[in-house]
Amino acid sequence: MLLYRLLLTIALLPIFTAFFLRAVRGRESWADFRERMGGGPAAPGPWVHAASVGEANSARGLVTALVAGGPVTLTCNTVNARDTVRGWGLDGLTPRLAPLDQRLCLFRFLRRAKPCLYVGVENEIWPNRFALLARRGIPRVLISARLSERSAERWSRWGVVVGPHLAGLSLVVPQDASSAERFADLGVAEASLADPMTLKASVSLASPPETALRAAWPYARELTCLAASTHAPEERIVLEAFTEARKERPELRLILAIRHPARGDEVAALLSKTPFRVARRSTGDAVTEETDILLADTLGEMALWYASASICWVGGSLSDRGGHTPYEPASFGCALLHGPDTSNFAEAYAALDTAGGALEVRNAAELGRALASLTPDAAAELARAAQIALTPVTPDRIAALAAELRALAQTSRTAPKG
């Protein structure tokens, strides 16, 4: 821990400076800066941490069940995620930015929050955070916990630091059997490992109203393909594939939903070099009968795009990022395409492949051929297979997990004041 704290102290100055400059330049508010330094709002009760928008949305059902039993503080690493949580409008929920994993920041936050339980969503391992919570006798839990082979190898080098903290976890609900094995290898007690569950399998995006759907995208769903949550250089690959597919199916249209809207200008510049007619969502461009591609560079509108397309290529799978969720597009009846890198949802994609519920494409040429060959009937058949293969997490299991967490919170020692 001393080495970790020394390295973190050395890194603190550039981290502090980066967030300070974000506040100075107006990219974040001074209130945001105070929250990262440990100040700001907090409510005594369970502390739930979800890093970004995807993790926060996946935990929404669980958080809703926890709030029914009393106040909850939910922290996020990004402003977008925190603001998304604010939009839920849940009484008793206090959303805020997470404090840095630095002792003074954590001391400030813990004095305000006085948590009786800590719940981390997915792969959030923070040694200082865990150490201070353990010192106060506060149960620590990881839910829908994902540990890739690469992350496990990295953390194994810090075994002296993370091992005792992982061994002290009260409960770990892994995403899959592989993650369970890796957590056990890093020191999580067998008695603390629950049956696997991924919260992202419980996400149910509300279908958009028909009026909103038609206003956003007037084309027929059968003629539309979606590239969802793309990263660089995937946009280039998708555009090359779309160009080839259009030679056989000129009626096809594309919605390009990039993972990070901050890259909107970069991707718009790329699109400007193509012969396609492009509308950009963030600037309010009208989608007309002449539009070939919609650049969806906004947040919180994925339901619109899933509902607008019959075919969905899932991003992050051709850019060494482990792939993004297949559950959401499958729930909207999209035919699923993906690249070879699906480690974030390995078991889900394995189930899809076994059931014939998705197609793997390894490059632009294969993606182009798939887009050209998936007729409406073929896409519908692929979508049905995906929905059968992906079993959602039931509300009953979420309720049971919330009850188990509340029971853990009740056994927690009272956090010391000051």
Side-chain angles (χ1 to χ4, degrees):
M1 282 298 292
L2 288 176
L3 177 60
Y4 174 80
R5 287 170 181 162
L6 175 62
L7 293 174
L8 190 65
T9 300
I10 294 171
L12 183 62
L13 180 58
I15 293 172
F16 178 93
T17 302
F19 286 128
F20 180 81
L21 289 176
R22 287 178 67 87
V24 169
R25 294 166 180 168
R27 297 180 64 185
E28 293 188 9
S29 70
W30 288 107
D32 297 336
F33 180 74
R34 286 193 294 273
E35 288 182 15
R36 294 192 187 279
M37 297 301 114
W47 170 15
V48 179
H49 177 72
S52 59
V53 173
E55 289 81 4
N57 282 334
S58 74
R60 182 172 181 173
L62 178 62
V63 171
T64 301
L66 286 175
V67 168
V72 173
T73 296
L74 194 154
T75 62
C76 302
N77 292 344
T78 69
V79 172
N80 286 336
R82 182 205 56 194
D83 292 347
T84 295
V85 174
R86 282 178 177 171
W88 297 351
L90 290 178
D91 291 337
L93 179 63
T94 302
R96 53 158 293 146
L97 293 172
L100 298 177
D101 197 43
Q102 202 276 340
R103 289 163 65 84
L104 291 178
C105 298
L106 289 166
F107 279 132
R108 291 186 69 201
F109 171 74
L110 292 174
R111 280 200 300 268
R112 289 169 168 79
K114 296 183 173 58
C116 57
L117 173 71
Y118 173 80
V119 181
V121 180
E122 293 204 13
N123 55 349
E124 292 294 298
I125 300 174
W126 297 95
N128 269 337
R129 184 182 299 180
F130 283 11
L132 293 181
L133 290 168
R135 183 179 299 177
R136 288 161 170 75
I138 298 165
R140 286 90 61 213
V141 172
L142 294 179
I143 300 297
S144 193
R146 175 171 57 85
L147 192 63
S148 67
E149 185 175 354
R150 183 183 304 173
S151 295
E153 182 179 349
R154 184 175 66 249
W155 281 119
S156 68
R157 301 191 193 106
W158 290 85
V160 175
V161 175
V162 302
H165 299 307
L166 293 179
L169 292 171
S170 299
L171 177 67
V172 175
V173 183
Q175 277 196 11
D176 49 50
S178 298
S179 290
E181 292 177 3
R182 293 175 188 129
F183 275 113
D185 290 342
L186 286 177
V188 174
E190 183 177 351
S192 299
L193 282 167
D195 292 335
M197 177 186 71
T198 173
L199 286 178
K200 286 182 177 176
S202 69
V203 174
S204 178
L205 298 180
S207 296
E210 187 66 22
T211 52
L213 189 60
R214 295 278 66 85
W217 187 252
Y219 284 114
R221 192 177 193 216
E222 293 75 16
L223 306 179
T224 304
C225 47
L226 165 68
S229 299
T230 62
H231 302 259
E234 291 176 332
E235 293 85 12
R236 293 182 183 275
I237 296 170
V238 169
L239 287 173
E240 183 179 339
F242 181 65
T243 300
E244 291 303 308
R246 285 266 295 219
K247 293 177 182 178
E248 293 187 39
R249 298 182 64 189
E251 72 278 10
L252 283 180
R253 299 294 185 270
L254 172 66
I255 299 173
L256 183 56
I258 60 177
R259 179 68 172 179
H260 300 295
R263 296 183 56 239
D265 289 344
E266 170 194 338
V267 178
L270 174 65
L271 289 168
S272 70
K273 299 175 184 177
T274 72
F276 298 118
R277 291 155 295 191
V278 178
R280 185 173 176 183
R281 181 68 170 175
S282 66
T283 58
D285 293 348
V287 177
T288 70
E289 293 182 358
E290 304 301 315
T291 302
D292 298 307
I293 298 175
L294 172 64
L295 172 56
D297 55 344
T298 55
L299 286 172
E301 295 192 306
M302 286 307 300
L304 275 176
W305 316 136
Y306 291 137
S308 297
S310 62
I311 302 170
C312 176
W313 180 77
V314 183
S317 57
L318 277 172
S319 56
D320 195 30
R321 287 175 172 81
H324 293 296
T325 176
Y327 290 99
E328 292 177 5
S331 71
F332 277 85
C334 297
L336 298 182
L337 308 176
H338 62 86
D341 186 6
T342 56
S343 57
N344 290 343
F345 295 89
E347 294 200 358
Y349 281 103
L352 285 167
D353 292 341
T354 299
L359 295 179
E360 180 180 319
V361 293
R362 292 168 292 181
N363 50 48
E366 291 186 4
L367 178 56
R369 287 195 292 271
L371 294 177
S373 64
L374 277 174
T375 63
D377 287 345
E381 183 178 348
L382 195 62
R384 282 193 294 271
Q387 289 183 326
I388 293 170
L390 297 180
T391 304
V393 174
T394 65
D396 286 346
R397 185 161 188 201
I398 295 295
L401 178 58
E404 185 174 1
L405 294 177
R406 283 195 293 267
L408 269 175
Q410 289 298 322
T411 65
S412 172
R413 296 202 305 262
T414 303
K417 298 181 180 180

